[in-house]
Amino acid sequence: DGGITQSPKYLFRKEGQNVTLSCEQNLNHDAMYWYRQDPGQGLRLIYYSQIVNDFQKGDIAEGYSVSREKKESFPLTVTSAQKNPTAFYLCASRPGTGSGYTFGSGTRLTVV
Amino acid sequence: EDKVVQSPLSLVVHEGDTVTLNCSYEVTNFRSLLWYKQEKKAPTFLFMLTSSGIEKKSGRLSSILDKKELFSILNITATQTGDSAVYLCAVEANAGGTSYGKLTFGQGTILTVHP
């Protein structure tokens, strides 16, 4: 079955550590996105990528980094510079304009 | 800055009731408005609206867009407990010279349907 796989589902991080969240899709979609969701808030865009080896900052990119070396993969690194990283992270993809986004099941990151 | 506001933020109803969820927006270079349902984790796509006045319908759910007044509504008739979820409204706008737009989400409406 085609879809988006995010891993891990739950992640705990100590303060000062970098962590990388995985996002893989086998839908052959060109564009991929990372969103952050906090309680009582909607989704906020962190980074997005339209093609391999290219990506753009979203509204809250500070403290995060991404790469897009393969069409199928768009990992997100939460760096120690991100002051409040505890949140629910969602990855999404889409095949083109005029179509809806497909979301992964998310990764819940907790800083301990 | 693009802005999407949903109301109400939460709603509690009984099975069989009809509900209307609201979404207003202020964006530059509007492309489309999307509705999603989020139950546990991944939001699932409901509707994409691009033209004013054309109702989209799927079973008991329907939605319509008013581009003049900058809002959309999502209606759910004969609600069931399985409709309990967070309903997210998002607006897509052109993002500079890119061919793919970017989505701005509202806060979501938490719908609880009691038996």
Side-chain angles (χ1 to χ4, degrees):
Chain A
D1 288 336
I4 298 181
T5 302
Q6 288 187 242
S7 62
K9 292 191 185 308
Y10 299 94
L11 186 58
F12 295 89
R13 186 194 99 174
K14 291 184 179 179
E15 283 193 29
Q17 287 182 337
N18 291 357
V19 288
T20 297
L21 282 58
S22 170
C23 178
E24 303 277 334
Q25 54 101 355
N26 60 3
L27 300 164
N28 200 33
H29 287 177
D30 290 320
M32 296 185 74
Y33 304 79
W34 273 106
Y35 288 90
R36 169 182 171 139
Q37 188 174 30
D38 294 283
Q41 296 192 37
L43 281 63
R44 292 183 290 167
L45 181 64
I46 305 173
Y47 268 98
Y48 62 105
S49 167
Q50 299 178 66
I51 57 172
V52 174
N53 292 323
D54 186 53
F55 46 82
Q56 287 79 39
K57 291 182 179 180
D59 300 316
I60 54 165
E62 186 175 350
Y64 299 98
S65 65
V66 293
S67 63
R68 188 88 185 274
E69 297 176 2
K70 299 185 299 182
K71 188 175 184 179
E72 301 80 21
S73 179
F74 191 40
L76 173 75
T77 296
V78 184
T79 74
S80 56
Q82 170 49 237
K83 299 305 177 189
N84 186 22
T86 295
F88 187 53
Y89 291 86
L90 282 162
C91 178
S93 70
R94 71 186 305 195
T97 56
S99 55
Y101 291 52
T102 300
F103 283 88
S105 296
T107 293
R108 190 166 298 280
L109 172 64
T110 303
V111 173
V112 297
Chain B
E1 184 180 329
D2 297 342
K3 189 176 177 183
V4 179
V5 177
Q6 291 184 244
S7 64
L9 294 182
S10 65
L11 190 57
V12 180
V13 299
H14 287 94
E15 273 192 319
D17 289 349
T18 293
V19 298
T20 298
L21 309 183
N22 305 298
C23 177
S24 64
Y25 62 91
E26 296 174 26
V27 299
T28 306
N29 298 319
F30 173 89
R31 276 194 185 179
S32 62
L33 185 143
L34 299 94
W35 284 97
Y36 286 87
K37 178 182 181 182
Q38 185 177 26
E39 291 180 85
K40 295 285 188 184
K41 295 180 178 178
T44 53
F45 174 75
L46 294 175
F47 298 111
M48 173 183 274
L49 304 157
T50 56
S51 301
S52 273
I54 299 175
E55 185 183 51
K56 292 222 173 175
K57 201 169 171 63
S58 176
R60 296 176 294 101
L61 277 66
S62 63
S63 184
I64 197 161
L65 173 67
D66 186 328
K67 290 167 75 174
K68 182 180 176 186
E69 300 297 331
L70 308 183
F71 79 87
S72 173
I73 59 171
L74 175 69
N75 278 321
I76 308 175
T77 59
T79 52
Q80 303 171 355
T81 54
D83 295 326
S84 296
V86 177
Y87 289 85
L88 296 167
C89 172
V91 174
E92 183 178 30
N94 290 327
T98 63
S99 50
Y100 292 90
K102 64 169 199 170
L103 286 184
T104 300
F105 282 82
Q107 323 93 299
T109 292
I110 302 171
L111 175 65
T112 304
V113 182
H114 288 310

